[in-house]
Amino acid sequence: MAVRPSPKKDTSSDYRKKAMHAEITAETQRLKNFLAPTVEQQQLFLEDIEIKMAGASRTVHVIVDLPEGEAGGVSLDRISDVAHAVSEAMDADPNDDGRPYNLEVSSPGVSRPLTEPRHWRRNVGRMVSVNIVEGDDVMGRLVSVEDTGITLIPELPVKKGMKPKQGAQTTLPFSNIRKGRVEVEFAHLDDVPLDGEAGSDEETTAEEA
């Protein structure tokens, strides 16, 4: 019985996707290096840059955060100021390829994964969930952050409707932490904010054409 040869797989689409991915990765890193000084001049930290392509145009999403020593969230006024500065820098970029772009500038918001020590330091006092490499995941109140790990007071699971119970203070090394996230808490009237004043970590966004 004759054996039919398998049809050749068309890899041209895969090649284009890989080439596009490599181009976006290289351009993202270039823009990070180029825009970091501009963001720092606004007393902010360049958290990340995301680029999305749509035909001949692109959307450049710049994510900024407060420096490690500042508490609270990035105000809309500061987002607007840094968006204007970043837009001017990109318009004067000598290595830009000239393709049109839409600029979005925002703060990370509470949904940002906690993956770097400075992310954890910015959230001392908050309720966090910790994804563990080996062992059970933990949720608790972040007490302190050291060079090697974090210390928290875990919340123990209880039956629905019962008041949460706290466990013994626990230290987790960064080597055993995959990532974490801030848990959104609904404040009560008798709650006192940790820093003595209300703050916001909701994402704030500004766009520049």
Side-chain angles (χ1 to χ4, degrees):
M1 182 176 68
V3 178
R4 294 181 180 178
S6 300
K8 292 183 178 180
K9 185 178 180 180
D10 183 8
T11 60
S12 59
S13 177
D14 292 338
Y15 176 80
R16 286 195 298 270
K17 288 179 180 178
K18 289 180 180 179
M20 178 66 73
H21 178 74
E23 179 186 351
I24 291 175
T25 299
E27 178 65 2
T28 298
Q29 188 57 54
R30 188 191 73 80
L31 278 179
K32 284 181 179 179
N33 296 335
F34 177 69
L35 293 175
T38 298
V39 175
E40 289 174 4
Q41 288 174 3
Q42 300 294 317
Q43 286 76 53
L44 293 171
F45 181 86
L46 178 57
E47 180 72 33
D48 200 6
I49 290 179
E50 300 171 352
I51 298 177
K52 293 182 180 180
M53 305 298 297
S57 63
R58 55 191 164 141
T59 296
V60 180
H61 184 192
V62 178
I63 305 170
V64 300
D65 199 3
L66 293 175
E68 191 172 304
E70 287 192 49
V74 187
S75 69
L76 186 56
D77 286 342
R78 294 184 75 172
I79 289 290
S80 179
D81 290 343
V82 74
H84 183 68
V86 167
S87 179
E88 288 187 339
M90 290 185 64
D91 287 344
D93 183 357
N95 296 311
D96 185 75
D97 60 11
R99 284 183 291 182
Y101 68 89
N102 179 50
L103 174 64
E104 298 177 352
V105 180
S106 73
S107 59
V110 294
S111 61
R112 169 191 59 185
L114 307 176
T115 57
E116 302 288 338
R118 60 185 179 80
H119 295 163
W120 295 96
R121 292 190 186 99
R122 291 264 291 109
N123 288 284
V124 169
R126 297 184 182 276
M127 187 67 68
V128 296
S129 293
V130 189
N131 184 238
I132 302 298
V133 176
E134 293 184 3
D136 296 330
D137 293 346
V138 182
M139 184 172 73
R141 184 77 57 187
L142 185 60
V143 175
S144 64
V145 181
E146 308 298 335
D147 292 338
T148 56
I150 66 172
T151 299
L152 53 75
I153 300 175
E155 279 208 350
L156 303 179
V158 295
K159 293 182 180 180
K160 187 176 180 180
M162 294 182 63
K163 187 176 181 179
K165 294 183 179 180
Q166 294 181 336
Q169 187 167 291
T170 303
T171 297
L172 301 172
F174 284 125
S175 59
N176 197 34
I177 297 176
R178 284 196 178 93
K179 63 181 179 179
R181 72 173 187 273
V182 175
E183 292 291 325
V184 177
E185 297 182 82
F186 297 95
H188 299 282
L189 292 176
D190 55 352
D191 286 343
V192 179
L194 292 164
D195 57 1
E197 59 183 15
S200 174
D201 282 316
E202 293 184 1
E203 181 177 350
T204 49
T205 305
E207 296 188 10
E208 293 275 335

